[in-house]
Amino acid sequence: MLARCAREYHEFDWFPRYPPYRDGGQDLITLRTRRIVLEAAPAAAVRREPGIDARVGAAVRGPTFDAPADPTGPGAVSRVGRPTTVPRVTGVETGTGPVGADLVVDACGRRSPVPGLLTAAGCRPSVVENHRTGIAYLCRWYRLRPDGPAEPRRMRTGSSAAFALAGVFPCDNGTFALHLVLRTADPTRSALTDPGLFDAACRLFPATAAWLDPRPEPLSGVLPMAGPDNRWTSLCDDAGPVVTGLVGVGDSVVHTNPTLGQGIALGLRAAQRLTAQRLTAQRLTAHADEVAADPAEHHAWALRTLRPWFDAQVAGDRAGERGLSGPPATAGRRAAEQAAAWDDPVVMRARALVRHLLCGADQAYGAEDVRRGVGSRLAARPGFAPAHDGPDRAAWEALVTAAD
């Protein structure tokens, strides 16, 4: 990815001088890149890897099983609450014929058809938990001009109003995306699909306005995305796995609203564990067969490791709907934590630990040195509350009305 001009960004790059070294700080790096580079680099690596047979264009029609599900019907269980039969997936049927497998992995994303295919084949239903966010994204892509000004420095990549968020995604090869986030019920949302109005709206927010000042070249129109819900899907219910021989990774298991940008990291973490890359090739096959025969442990690992981040996103989105991060005292402290990070490297490190999925917010911000830094800010500014740097509603509606 770096060879394809993805860029490294360290959380401490914000400060004019790096703080003193602390172990683990070297890992707090984000790779800034477009999705096309993110997907092209691993695809090229897969083609170079010996022992991998990449079958491009062989669309999967559905799983194959060792035996049909219990003939008494989907979801049949014994009197002791255990499934009477649990089908085992033994491969997939493709447009070019069947492919056998010790273990099948569902990496089909947030619209994975696998739960429906399993139910249609007679398996008990997958367990799906869905939380509506009620927000919509509008995004537009740009490229900085080679002969123009450089990208802004020491400018935050996010701004907010009481009713909207605006943000910047710096990427590879001089490209970047601007986005606006509004409630799906906001009456001004549909008007922002006009590129001129979108750019004008982005100029109302300091973060996005700074990236439009160099007069970048637009690369796209305005791309809307609605319905980025938070959804957890498990192939395991109270009676155990609904199927063996198959597990999920990525958005097919945990899909979250992208405001925290954790989806790819969660997917890679699951894939890393599943492939057990420290094992030899011979043991890797045995490991895959063990997971296939009893995937319950994999599901239990997902609950321990991935589920907390899902729950944190759900809680954050619910707080956003109320316009608060919790009770007043908690709201003030959490706002102070976020604000202090931009002035205090110790607090920024705590923020980075959470952003990089290394520990939860309570643990990161609960460290004694972090609490001291945040406490000093609260003592200097009693009743601290988050401030919006974006427009008020009157200015926003005046812009939209003028465009009409």
Side-chain angles (χ1 to χ4, degrees), residues 214-233:
R215 302 181 64 81
E217 172 193 0
L219 299 179
S220 73
V222 180
L223 310 172
M225 181 180 72
D229 299 337
N230 300 306
R231 185 169 58 255
W232 178 269
T233 303

Side-chain angles (χ1 to χ4, degrees), residues 20-359:
Y21 174 81
R22 290 181 62 177
D23 188 41
Q26 69 275 14
D27 297 327
L28 303 178
I29 295 174
T30 298
L31 275 180
R32 291 178 163 179
T33 177
R34 289 169 294 172
R35 187 69 174 254
I36 190 172
V37 173
L38 175 68
E39 293 182 351
V46 164
R47 288 193 294 270
R48 294 192 300 267
E49 191 73 16
I52 291 182
D53 177 14
R55 305 191 183 189
V56 178
V60 174
R61 295 175 176 173
T64 57
F65 298 89
D66 60 350
D70 191 290
T72 59
V77 295
S78 68
R79 283 182 294 178
V80 294
R82 300 296 298 174
T84 53
T85 61
V86 179
R88 174 162 177 158
V89 172
T90 56
V92 293
E93 186 67 47
T94 75
T96 57
V99 178
D102 297 313
L103 176 67
V104 174
V105 179
D106 175 12
C108 293
R110 66 187 179 112
R111 294 187 177 91
S112 172
V114 169
L117 292 170
L118 294 177
T119 303
C123 300
R124 304 192 314 280
S126 305
V127 179
V128 179
E129 181 180 334
N130 195 69
H131 299 267
R132 302 300 301 270
T133 62
I135 62 174
Y137 283 73
L138 297 114
C139 171
R140 194 179 190 199
W141 287 91
Y142 309 80
R143 177 181 285 117
L144 294 169
R145 300 180 186 276
D147 56 348
E151 68 179 49
R153 296 290 184 182
R154 285 189 56 77
M155 173 60 69
R156 297 188 193 182
T157 55
S159 289
S160 69
F163 53 87
L165 301 175
V168 184
F169 287 104
C171 295
D172 58 277
N173 295 285
T175 62
F176 65 94
L178 301 184
H179 74 268
L180 298 173
V181 184
L182 295 92
R183 306 299 301 177
T184 54
D186 193 306
T188 65
R189 179 170 64 94
S190 59
L192 294 169
T193 56
D194 175 81
L197 181 57
F198 178 87
D199 284 6
C202 285
R203 289 191 178 278
L204 297 177
F205 296 88
T208 44
W211 285 76
L212 289 173
D213 286 344
R215 302 181 64 81
E217 172 193 0
L219 299 179
S220 73
V222 180
L223 310 172
M225 181 180 72
D229 299 337
N230 300 306
R231 185 169 58 255
W232 178 269
T233 303
S234 177
L235 301 180
C236 218
D237 61 16
D238 291 341
V242 304
V243 70
T244 62
L246 178 126
V247 293
V249 299
D251 281 5
S252 66
V253 175
V254 53
H255 171 253
T256 54
N257 163 25
T259 49
L260 297 182
Q262 59 189 22
I264 289 173
L266 292 176
L268 289 175
R269 180 171 289 182
Q272 183 182 46
R273 180 186 186 277
L274 188 61
T275 54
Q277 54 190 197
R278 288 188 296 248
L279 298 175
T280 64
Q282 182 178 5
R283 289 194 61 206
L284 181 60
T285 301
H287 173 72
D289 190 64
E290 291 169 3
V291 174
D294 185 12
E297 198 277 331
H298 175 77
H299 297 307
W301 172 87
L303 284 173
R304 294 193 307 270
T305 310
L306 307 182
R307 179 72 195 215
W309 301 104
F310 173 82
D311 291 339
Q313 180 73 68
V314 170
D317 288 343
R318 286 175 173 168
E321 292 174 2
R322 298 191 302 266
L324 295 172
S325 298
T330 304
R333 185 166 193 88
R334 186 51 48 91
E337 290 168 353
Q338 297 300 314
W342 303 100
D343 302 323
D344 186 337
V346 172
V347 185
M348 177 63 85
R349 185 177 188 276
R351 178 180 183 271
L353 289 172
V354 178
R355 284 176 52 82
H356 288 262
L357 311 184
L358 296 175
C359 66

